[in-house]
Amino acid sequence: MFTGIVQNCTALKIEQTRDQFKSFSIDLTDRQADQLQTGASVALNGACLTVTRIDAGRAYFDVMMETLRATNLGQLADGALVNVERAARVGDDIGGHLMSGHVASTVTLIEIERPANNCILWFAVDPGQRRYLFSKGYVGLNGCSLTIGEVQADRFNVYLIPETLTVTTFGQAQLGAAVNLEFDAHTQAIVETLERMKAEGDI
């Protein structure tokens, strides 16, 4: 599990590319490297990946076809910045909301507003994504735990504080970027339960 509190962003190195397969590596901070073992989980842009090797302060990951399809990892160029979070450990602060690292899909950044001392990002959504998004609910975007601001028919926004812009890749976000989306698991479960009950005539 993850908290959605991104620890840092770092450059992604593409180690190998094959048909429907890529291997990546990243530099680890001292804190991330502490007691990290092969088989542990690390989120890159919110996608939970398994550490396959650790060598000289770098962690290595293999990414298969489903992750390449559902996330933005397959679209990233060598040297692109990614948000990094090591899996939560017992005793860690849960400063965001519990996240699984299971990215549902991507959304496109379509507008950036910069009123005084603020940054507002707008993302396009389709009806299937829209059903799990509610004003003041939670969402995971590139691994960041964020509170949803406004939700409209085909878009929603989030408000970012300066610290988020400094620590994560959102400080350099560009229009048209594909951003990994993870829904709040509790919201998704409630929506799907109510829809099933309605379809079965229970409500």
Side-chain angles (χ1 to χ4, degrees), residues 31-74:
R31 180 181 177 188
Q32 289 164 348
D34 181 39
Q35 300 183 55
L36 185 68
Q37 298 179 354
T38 299
S41 296
V42 175
L44 301 186
N45 276 358
C48 177
L49 301 178
T50 300
V51 177
T52 59
R53 180 163 63 100
I54 303 167
D55 182 35
R58 294 189 71 81
Y60 293 75
F61 311 89
D62 290 340
V63 183
M64 309 295 280
M65 58 186 295
E66 176 61 14
T67 302
L68 294 174
R69 181 199 66 78
T71 77
N72 61 17
L73 295 180

Side-chain angles (χ1 to χ4, degrees), residues 87-106:
R89 292 178 278 189
V90 174
D92 286 351
D93 290 336
I94 307 298
H97 74 282
L98 287 177
M99 295 169 58
S100 66
H102 298 164
V103 173
S105 57
T106 62

Side-chain angles (χ1 to χ4, degrees), residues 15-49:
E15 299 286 347
Q16 188 178 39
T17 299
R18 301 205 305 262
D19 184 33
Q20 301 188 91
F21 173 93
K22 287 191 176 185
S23 177
F24 300 137
S25 71
I26 60 165
D27 277 324
L28 299 167
T29 65
D30 290 342
R31 180 181 177 188
Q32 289 164 348
D34 181 39
Q35 300 183 55
L36 185 68
Q37 298 179 354
T38 299
S41 296
V42 175
L44 301 186
N45 276 358
C48 177
L49 301 178

Side-chain angles (χ1 to χ4, degrees), residues 34-199:
D34 181 39
Q35 300 183 55
L36 185 68
Q37 298 179 354
T38 299
S41 296
V42 175
L44 301 186
N45 276 358
C48 177
L49 301 178
T50 300
V51 177
T52 59
R53 180 163 63 100
I54 303 167
D55 182 35
R58 294 189 71 81
Y60 293 75
F61 311 89
D62 290 340
V63 183
M64 309 295 280
M65 58 186 295
E66 176 61 14
T67 302
L68 294 174
R69 181 199 66 78
T71 77
N72 61 17
L73 295 180
Q75 305 174 32
L76 299 180
D78 191 66
L81 294 179
V82 291
N83 292 330
V84 183
E85 182 188 357
R86 186 172 164 179
R89 292 178 278 189
V90 174
D92 286 351
D93 290 336
I94 307 298
H97 74 282
L98 287 177
M99 295 169 58
S100 66
H102 298 164
V103 173
S105 57
T106 62
V107 289
T108 302
L109 178 60
I110 57 172
E111 185 177 352
I112 302 174
E113 297 182 47
R114 295 188 182 276
N117 304 308
N118 284 265
C119 180
I120 307 168
L121 304 184
W122 285 91
F123 299 91
V125 289
D126 61 38
Q129 296 165 328
R130 167 66 178 79
R131 60 203 276 250
Y132 302 121
L133 302 175
F134 299 90
S135 179
K136 311 311 176 191
Y138 296 116
V139 71
L141 293 172
N142 271 359
C144 298
S145 169
L146 297 169
T147 301
I148 299 169
E150 303 162 62
V151 181
Q152 299 177 2
D154 59 355
R155 55 164 50 192
F156 75 98
N157 69 21
V158 293
Y159 291 69
L160 303 184
I161 63 172
E163 176 68 8
T164 301
L165 295 173
T166 298
V167 173
T168 76
T169 57
F170 284 119
Q172 303 175 46
Q174 301 291 320
L175 292 178
V179 174
N180 289 340
L181 171 69
E182 179 180 340
F183 301 115
D184 175 59
H186 296 96
T187 300
Q188 190 169 8
I190 291 169
V191 169
E192 292 182 354
T193 298
L194 291 173
E195 288 180 346
R196 185 178 67 252
M197 291 175 66
K198 184 178 180 180

